[in-house]
Amino acid sequence: MHIKINYPLKNFNTFGIALNAPFFSSFTDEQELLSLLNYVKAGQKEVLILGGGSNVLFTKQPQDWILKNEIKHFEIAEDSKDYAIVKSGAGNIWHEFVLETLKHNLFGLENLSLIPGCVGAAPMQNIGAYGVEIKSTFHHLDAIEIATMKNVSFNNQECKFGYRESVFKNIYKKKYVITHVYFKLSKIFQANIEYGAIKEQLTAMGIEKPTAKDVSNAVIAIRQSKLPDPKVLGNAGSFFKNPTISNEQFLPLKEKFPNMVSYPVANNEVKIAAGWLIEQCGLKGFRENDYGVHKNQALVLVNYGNASGSEIFQLSEMVIENVKSKFGITLEREVNIY
Ligand code: FAD
Ligand code: NAP
């Protein structure tokens, strides 16, 4: 167990915010985690678990003891004719895990290729992209409850997955450390390529009947062409969720703004592309000092180098106010603010 004091976090959050952790340690198994939790409790500190740091914004000097999850594990926990249940350590890199499942000819995660971060954070916000969310393949997870240090499991229903939501992002925030995640993956591939530009990308690649690996490659190509690489430009992906509004609220807005980008969802509700709303406020490409709104994707706030977390947070406030005043819609942050 190695405990680092006053440890720089710049390389541990994809926004590249330069703050120091008062105490920082990593753990590679449950035993090490339990020892660290004992230490943290003895010092009457709180714990913040970090995976890849691709969905956090540090706005002030952290007070918590930061524990980086490095539990690496890959196992076919159950094998049957049509499916397998795969167990992954929470510290595995998500994209590497997806590629490993494809190597084993297990399907269902291919549309989620190249999402940054670790497996343990995936259930936090039911990660989703290109028409797929993990809730459709998530089986259960193992976690340690911080208060009692007991092992617990959560099945799919108990996680209460929603759009970029789960119990871990709200009522159980900072209450559990997710240690392993299990996915039920199919041995029969069914392409899910209706969403966005996947079909066009496959056509451009000369592929008519895609394999799962082809779909993964197409998603990788689209993502690399559209999204800023955090290694080059600090960001945490979409800063805001796409808001869902009632048909009642939507219809007059659509009359006033006929080009509004929207998608019908269940229960007479409509999802609005938040990036479009921000762009209409004239904020796409906005920059002041080292913080700004990305020039190609208005949903992404960026750090050009030395922005502070509080500057980026203030920018998000400004975006929310502008969208509220023009459209009457309140944007909700997707990124976890600390
Ligand atoms: P972190 O940022 O380290 O942590 C996020 C939150 O989860 C924190 O609150 C943290 O305390 C908690 N946490 C992390 N690990 C654990 C654990 N083991 N136990 C308990 N709590 C934990 N997201 C999508 O859904 N879809 C996308 O397509 C997508 N694209 C992105 C593209 C870019 C360029 C970037 C930068 C981000 C993108 N994201 C996307 C957001 C992000 O990658 C995901 O939310 C990812 O799952 C975060 O993983 P992480 O390990 O980096 O989490
Ligand atoms: P895009 O394809 O340009 O689409 C813009 C928005 O419209 C998306 O956010 C998406 O909502 C919605 N959308 C597009 N086609 C849709 C369809 N057929 N049905 C329903 N909704 C549709 O978006 P992008 O920025 O390039 O991202 C592509 C995918 O990667 C999206 O799924 C996005 O969520 C995901 N992504 C997420 C993050 C993150 O940090 N959370 C970052 C980058 C990319 P949804 O977001 O609900 O899919």
Side-chain angles (χ1 to χ4, degrees), residues 16 184 261:
K184 183 175 175 181
V261 180

Side-chain angles (χ1 to χ4, degrees), residues 84-103:
I85 294 181
V86 182
K87 175 181 182 183
S88 170
N92 282 336
I93 304 288
W94 173 261
H95 180 58
E96 289 173 6
F97 170 66
V98 172
L99 296 183
E100 195 59 30
T101 63
L102 293 176
K103 267 194 213 155

Side-chain angles (χ1 to χ4, degrees), residues 129-130 163-164 195 226-227 237-238 242 263 271 297 334:
Y130 299 96
Y163 176 63
R164 307 289 188 266
Y195 185 100
K226 282 189 78 171
L227 291 165
S238 308
N242 290 311
Y263 301 90
K271 181 178 72 179
Q297 172 51 285
E334 182 181 305

Side-chain angles (χ1 to χ4, degrees), residues 218-233:
V219 167
I220 291 170
I222 302 168
R223 293 186 76 102
Q224 283 175 336
S225 70
K226 282 189 78 171
L227 291 165
D229 178 354
K231 286 194 191 98
V232 180
L233 187 60

